[in-house]
């Protein structure tokens, strides 16, 4: 009984070691809380210092430096490619096609045999013409001999002069028959040559329009194939007559500088937007305006040695016909417009910003052609206008990257994820509290 009572009394009274452990935990938690408050105060102080430093430093804005240059005026025109030479191969001899002597779609040379037409009747005609010529030559020989024999006789008054004149006339008639016979032989040879159809020009031949066994040339010259010369190619364009008139007036007034026909640059762009590697050459501008469309025909020549381009292809042509002297190319987003005109924001050397009125011409790509109002070396602000609108007195100019606007669409999803960032940061912020409380539970 005594031992059991002592044991029960000992279990009901807290031990000294347990009390010391509880006190140590309380002291540790107090130190952690004090250190946490101190760290928070330090972070707030650093953030305030960084914010004050950022407010003291002028905001950065993207600028471009003005560079005056001779800017060509580019006309973007639609066009179609056309073969420089086109020849229709037709049958000039009537008969049955016996052979096709070329491969469709291949390159042929002038004079190359293409078709063989049955030449039997033309060979017979040639032989008949040759026989007629031989008969005429025989008659000429007899008439010439008679005329030679009569000449001494008429001088001796052995025959009448009338008989001699008749002999001379017969000789001349025989001579004419010989000439006609020679012409008949030549004509027969030509007709025989038509039976062998050859290429009139060098170029690329298309598909055959007749096959072996077809009757051609019966009553009309049957078309057999088409040959097109595709090196060089012609580019047929149409340009507005009003644009041509304005350009000529500007050139005459001195606002634009004429490049001349030899200096006109012709760049061709294909359907996929790629630039053709070889430039073209302007041939002529038509003098007549189409009354139905108000357009003027323009033709350029384009080399095509490798045969990559084909006639009939739709292309876009950039034609440089004049240029503006001492002009500047400024991104379009740097120019603002109002009822007073066009303005740009110019950044001075000390970082101050001031609006500047400018005169602009036409656009070129994503730029405006500024004809007056800017000086070489001046810095024009392209982006960061909102920073100036928020009250910034001075700015820090940095070079504007021209590819930044193109990359903007790819970077647009980032701001969309920004609202989720605080939420993502709130969740990890709650996790350390659980981590801190876990040791306390132990």
């Amino acid at each position: 009984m005594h031992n059991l009572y002592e044991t029960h009394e000992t279990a009901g009274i807290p031990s000294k070691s347990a009390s010391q452990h509880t006190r140590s935990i309380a002291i540790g938690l107090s130190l952690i809380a004090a250190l946490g408050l101190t760290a928070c105060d330090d972070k707030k102080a650093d953030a305030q210092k960084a914010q004050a430093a950022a407010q003291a430093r002028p905001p950065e804005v993207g600028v471009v430096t003005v560079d005056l240059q001779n800017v060509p005026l580019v006309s973007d025109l639609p066009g179609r490619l056309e073969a420089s030479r086109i020849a229709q191969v037709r049958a000039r001899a009537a008969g049955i096609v016996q052979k096709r002597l070329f491969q469709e779609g291949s390159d042929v040379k002038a004079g190359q045999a293409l078709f063989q037409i049955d030449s039997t009747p033309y060979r017979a005609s040639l032989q008949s013409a040759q026989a007629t010529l031989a008969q005429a030559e025989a008659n000429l020989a007899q008439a010439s001999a008679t005329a030679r024999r009569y000449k001494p006789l008429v001088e001796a008054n052995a025959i009448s002069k009338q008989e001699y004149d008749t002999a001379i006339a017969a000789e001349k008639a025989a001579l004419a028959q010989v000439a006609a016979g020679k012409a008949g032989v030549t004509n027969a040879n030509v007709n025989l040559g038509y039976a062998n159809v050859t290429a009139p020009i060098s170029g690329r031949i298309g598909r055959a329009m007749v096959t072996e066994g077809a009757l051609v040339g019966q009553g009309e010259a049957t078309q057999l194939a088409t040959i097109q010369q595709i090196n060089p190619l012609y580019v047929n364009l149409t340009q507005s007559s009003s644009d041509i008139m304005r350009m000529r007036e500007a050139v005459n007034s001195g606002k634009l500088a004429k490049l001349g026909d030899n200096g006109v640059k012709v760049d061709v762009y294909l359907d996929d937007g790629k630039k053709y590697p070889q430039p073209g050459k302007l041939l002529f501008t038509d003098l007549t305006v189409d009354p139905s469309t108000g357009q003027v025909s323009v033709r350029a020549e384009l080399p095509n040695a490798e045969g990559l381009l084909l006639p009939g292809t739709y292309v876009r042509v950039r034609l440089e016909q004049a240029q503006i002297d001492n002009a500047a190319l400024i991104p379009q987003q740097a120019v603002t417009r109002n009822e007073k005109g066009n303005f740009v924001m110019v950044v001075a050397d000390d970082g101050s910003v001031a609006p500047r009125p400018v005169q602009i011409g036409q656009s070129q790509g994503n730029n405006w052609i500024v004809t007056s109002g800017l000086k070489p070396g001046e810095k024009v602000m392209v982006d960061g206008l909102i920073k100036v609108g928020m009250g910034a007195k001075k700015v820090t100019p940095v070079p504007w990257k021209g590819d930044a606007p193109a990359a903007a669409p790819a970077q647009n999803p980032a701001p969309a994820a920004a609202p989720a960032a605080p939420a993502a940061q709130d969740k990890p912020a709650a996790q350390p509290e659980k981590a801190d409380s876990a040791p306390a539970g132990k």
Side-chain angles (χ1 to χ4, degrees), residues 16-48:
K16 184 177 180 180
S17 61
S19 176
Q20 292 178 350
H21 180 67
T22 302
R23 188 179 301 106
S24 299
I25 291 175
I27 294 173
L29 291 175
S30 300
L31 290 175
I32 291 173
L35 291 174
L37 292 175
T38 304
C40 290
D41 293 339
D42 293 341
K43 290 182 179 179
K44 290 181 180 180
D46 293 341
Q48 291 176 355

Side-chain angles (χ1 to χ4, degrees), residues 2 11 244 272 304 336:
H2 180 73
I244 295 177
D272 55 1
N304 189 32
T336 57

Side-chain angles (χ1 to χ4, degrees), residues 6 72 109 187 210 242 275 316 342 347 380 390 393 399 419 435:
E6 290 178 352
K109 300 293 183 180
N187 187 46
V210 297
S242 58
K275 181 180 177 181
R316 299 293 300 181
N342 302 302
V347 180
V380 176
M390 294 176 64
K393 300 299 183 181

Side-chain angles (χ1 to χ4, degrees), residues 380-394:
V380 176
M381 187 169 63
V382 180
D383 57 14
L385 184 62
I386 189 173
K387 299 177 183 178
V388 178
M390 294 176 64
K393 300 299 183 181
K394 293 186 178 182

Side-chain angles (χ1 to χ4, degrees), residues 346-354 376-379 394-397:
V346 178
V347 180
D349 294 338
D350 59 355
S352 59
V353 182
E378 289 185 326
K379 295 180 176 59
K394 293 186 178 182
V395 296
T396 301

Side-chain angles (χ1 to χ4, degrees), residues 167-403:
I168 295 297
E171 181 184 16
K172 292 181 178 179
L175 185 63
Q177 288 178 357
V178 170
K182 290 180 179 179
V185 171
T186 302
N187 187 46
N189 276 318
V190 170
N191 291 332
L192 179 61
Y194 287 161
N196 185 26
V197 182
T198 59
I201 62 173
S202 299
R204 184 167 295 178
I205 191 168
R207 65 181 182 88
M209 297 183 178
V210 297
T211 61
E212 291 86 347
L215 176 62
V216 298
Q218 197 69 25
E220 63 178 2
T222 307
Q223 184 174 353
L224 307 179
T226 302
I227 300 176
Q228 300 185 69
Q229 197 170 91
I230 59 175
N231 183 33
L233 282 172
Y234 288 150
V235 187
N236 294 323
L237 315 169
T238 55
Q239 188 174 12
S240 172
S241 59
S242 58
D243 292 344
I244 295 177
M245 184 64 67
R246 283 195 298 268
M247 186 176 298
R248 289 179 178 176
E249 290 178 353
V251 169
N252 294 333
S253 63
K255 295 181 180 179
L256 299 179
K258 185 178 180 181
L259 296 177
D261 291 341
N262 294 331
V264 175
K265 187 178 180 182
V266 180
D267 292 327
V268 175
Y269 292 81
L270 306 181
D271 288 340
D272 55 1
K274 294 181 179 179
K275 181 180 177 181
Y276 187 67
Q278 299 182 7
K281 178 179 66 175
L282 183 66
L283 294 182
F284 72 89
T285 301
D286 201 355
L287 300 177
T288 305
V289 179
D290 188 344
S292 60
T293 61
Q295 303 287 320
V296 177
S297 298
V298 181
R299 171 171 286 184
E301 187 180 78
L302 188 66
N304 189 32
E306 298 181 357
L308 299 178
L309 302 180
L310 299 177
T313 304
Y314 173 81
V315 295
R316 299 293 300 181
V317 179
R318 291 183 178 178
L319 197 64
E320 296 181 6
Q321 296 172 297
Q323 67 181 16
I324 304 177
D325 296 335
N326 297 324
L329 292 175
I330 301 299
Q332 293 185 1
Q333 65 190 83
V335 181
T336 57
R337 295 183 177 182
N338 55 27
E339 65 278 1
K340 295 182 180 180
N342 302 302
F343 294 86
V344 297
M345 302 299 290
V346 178
V347 180
D349 294 338
D350 59 355
S352 59
V353 182
R356 177 79 59 81
V358 293
Q359 296 291 331
I360 63 174
Q362 67 181 35
S363 62
Q364 187 174 107
N366 294 326
N367 299 322
W368 285 115
I369 300 177
V370 178
T371 58
S372 64
L374 295 175
K375 297 179 181 180
E378 289 185 326
K379 295 180 176 59
V380 176
M381 187 169 63
V382 180
D383 57 14
L385 184 62
I386 189 173
K387 299 177 183 178
V388 178
M390 294 176 64
K393 300 299 183 181
K394 293 186 178 182
V395 296
T396 301
V398 296
W400 178 69
K401 297 181 180 180
D403 57 351

